[in-house]
Structure formats: C-alpha cells, structure tokens
C-alpha cells in the first residue's frame, strides 16, 4: 500500500515564477492537508481539502497561494509569483474519512532564487 | 490563539535510558493528541496517538495524557541512538467538523551510545 506521494521532491524557482506542488493521498484517504515548514520553525497548517472542496484555508496566505483537490488526480498547491520567503519544505498529509490520524508525504523542498 | 508548547531541547540521554518528552496545549477543548518523529531532512512520521486521559503503550513508547492539566507526554524506554530525532507534539482542536492539527516546534532528542 503506497504511502502519500508528493512531487517534485525538490523544486527551484526564480522570483516571480510559479510553483506547482502535487500530492497523491494514500489509498482510501479522502482528506488532504498541506503544511509548510520553515527552517528552525514548526509545521504550520495551510489548507485542508476533501475531493472538490476546500474545507479550511485559514492558514494559507490570501494572495498568491491556492489549492485544489479535483475529483480526479492529485491535490495541487500553487504558488504564484514566488518570493524568497516562500522557500520552505511543503508537506502534504492525508487521512481517511473515519478518523483523523494524518500521514505525511516526503515533502517538496522549494527553493526560490 | 491556539498554541502547543514544547521544550526545544536538545534533550540528551544515554543509550538505554528513558527519554521523557513533554507538551502543553492551550485549547482546553482539544480532543486528539499525536506524537510525530521527524529525522533531519525527512517528513514527520506518526508514532503515537492518544484520545483519552491516562497512558497508552506501544512497544517502547508510552503516551500520557492529562486533559485537566492540558499536558501530554511521550516516554521512550530503552532509548537507542536511532531514536535521535525531533519529536513533534500535535493537537487537534475541538470537534468542529474538520480535522486540522496544531504542531509544537518540537523537541530534539539526542541519544548517545
């Protein structure tokens, strides 16, 4: 049973470019969460999605960031016009609908030059 | 402001000793509590979940929860050098129809041979 999958594992972008991060949840999991981890800081919740619905985006910056979890395909976290402060590790987690233990993917390390 | 507090450490213990990791949380209505282990450069790995007051044991790990004191701890018996990692405490806010986690910044554990 494959775990949570994320790609790419490493992403380098120049300031002003767009970053797209993908997450495929574990089989049987319909809930997806995105977190950001800055160096020397803790994990910060960004957004919680179920299929075709954003349930809670209270942790996501209002500008430049968006997320989706379409009916088919992976969840996407999109960052437009990246700035150096967006450099971080972005983790996706998933959980099944019946309980809230979250399992993390390997993460995407975003570096903005 | 929902907060989860952990001593940043490092907590240094010799091999074979018991490591005790502590966490306090501010939201009295929190219902679910989790411990994650994160090796440097890797993603968080769920090691324990606890939902009711008391102790929960799983192998060398014991989670302890005291909701009245808003305190949760993790004991690691017979600590091994491979246990050296950062341990993250995570708390699920009161039931509100969705499941997000608030993480502490983690405690670094160093187990010396």
């Amino acid at each position: 049973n494959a775990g949570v999958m994320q790609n790419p594992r490493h992403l380098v972008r120049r300031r002003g470019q767009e970053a797209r991060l993908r997450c495929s949840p574990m089989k049987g999991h319909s809930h997806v969460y995105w977190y950001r981890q800055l160096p020397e800081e803790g994990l910060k919740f960004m957004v919680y999605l179920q299929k075709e619905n954003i349930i809670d985006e209270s942790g996501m910056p209002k500008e430049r960031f968006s997320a989706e979890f379409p009916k088919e395909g992976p969840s996407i976290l999109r960052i437009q016009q990246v700035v150096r402060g967006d450099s971080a590790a972005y983790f996706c987690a998933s959980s099944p609908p019946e309980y809230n233990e979250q399992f993390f993917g390997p993460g995407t390390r975003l570096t903005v030059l | 402001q929902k907060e989860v507090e952990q001593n940043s450490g490092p907590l240094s213990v010799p091999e074979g000793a018991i490591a005790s990791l502590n966490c306090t949380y501010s939201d009295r209505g929190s219902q679910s509590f989790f411990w994650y282990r994160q090796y440097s450069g890797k993603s968080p790995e769920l090691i324990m979940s606890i939902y009711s007051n008391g102790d929960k044991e799983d192998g060398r790990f014991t989670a302890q929860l005291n909701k009245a004191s808003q305190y949760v701890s993790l004991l690691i018996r017979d600590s091994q050098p491979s246990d050296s990692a950062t341990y993250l405490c995570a708390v699920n806010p009161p039931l509100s129809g969705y499941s997000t986690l608030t993480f502490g910044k983690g405690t670094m554990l160093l187990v010396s041979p």
Side-chain angles (χ1 to χ4, degrees):
Chain A
N1 188 12
V4 178
M5 300 176 68
Q6 288 188 251
N7 67 80
R9 297 290 298 276
H10 299 275
L11 183 60
V12 179
R13 285 287 178 266
R14 296 191 181 278
R15 281 179 297 170
Q17 291 184 321
E18 178 180 287
R20 283 192 178 220
L21 288 61
R22 297 175 189 78
C23 170
S24 296
M26 288 177 69
K27 186 177 180 180
H29 288 193
S30 57
H31 299 192
V32 167
Y33 314 80
W34 286 93
Y35 294 86
R36 177 166 64 178
Q37 188 171 41
L38 292 164
E40 307 305 320
E41 292 193 18
L43 277 165
K44 300 295 185 185
F45 165 77
M46 299 182 73
V47 61
Y48 163 42
L49 309 103
Q50 295 178 19
K51 283 285 187 182
E52 300 185 280
N53 284 302
I54 297 175
I55 308 302
D56 180 2
E57 56 182 346
S58 60
M60 199 154 67
K62 295 289 187 287
E63 297 180 356
R64 301 190 297 109
F65 286 73
S66 62
E68 63 177 4
F69 189 15
K71 186 176 180 181
E72 300 291 337
S75 175
I76 306 287
L77 179 67
R78 182 182 178 199
I79 311 172
Q80 295 178 293
Q81 299 177 325
V82 296
V83 300
R84 288 206 174 123
D86 296 332
S87 296
Y90 291 83
F91 292 102
C92 168
S94 72
S95 70
E98 64 271 16
Y99 64 100
N100 60 5
E101 291 185 348
Q102 296 180 21
F103 298 88
F104 282 77
T108 294
R109 270 76 178 171
L110 173 65
T111 301
V112 180
L113 302 178
Chain B
Q1 178 79 19
K2 300 181 179 66
E3 291 186 351
V4 178
E5 300 289 338
Q6 295 181 256
N7 188 320
S8 62
L11 172 66
S12 295
V13 300
E15 183 174 357
I18 295 175
S20 178
L21 303 160
N22 304 315
C23 172
T24 58
Y25 58 96
S26 61
D27 195 330
R28 181 169 290 278
S30 299
Q31 297 290 327
S32 307
F33 308 86
F34 306 90
W35 283 100
Y36 286 81
R37 177 175 63 197
Q38 187 174 26
Y39 293 111
S40 181
K42 301 296 185 181
S43 62
E45 175 191 4
L46 179 64
I47 54 174
M48 289 288 284
S49 59
I50 187 166
Y51 301 93
S52 55
N53 281 328
D55 295 0
K56 179 182 177 182
E57 186 175 319
D58 184 1
R60 295 187 296 113
F61 299 100
T62 298
Q64 300 174 318
L65 175 62
N66 184 326
K67 289 185 179 180
S69 300
Q70 296 175 234
Y71 177 91
V72 58
S73 65
L74 180 70
L75 300 178
I76 306 175
R77 290 181 298 282
D78 189 23
S79 295
Q80 301 297 310
S82 58
D83 294 327
S84 297
T86 296
Y87 289 79
L88 306 174
C89 173
V91 175
N92 184 210
L95 290 175
S96 57
Y98 55 85
S99 304
T100 60
L101 295 180
T102 300
F103 281 83
K105 290 188 176 182
T107 298
M108 181 182 292
L109 173 66
L110 298 175
V111 181
S112 55

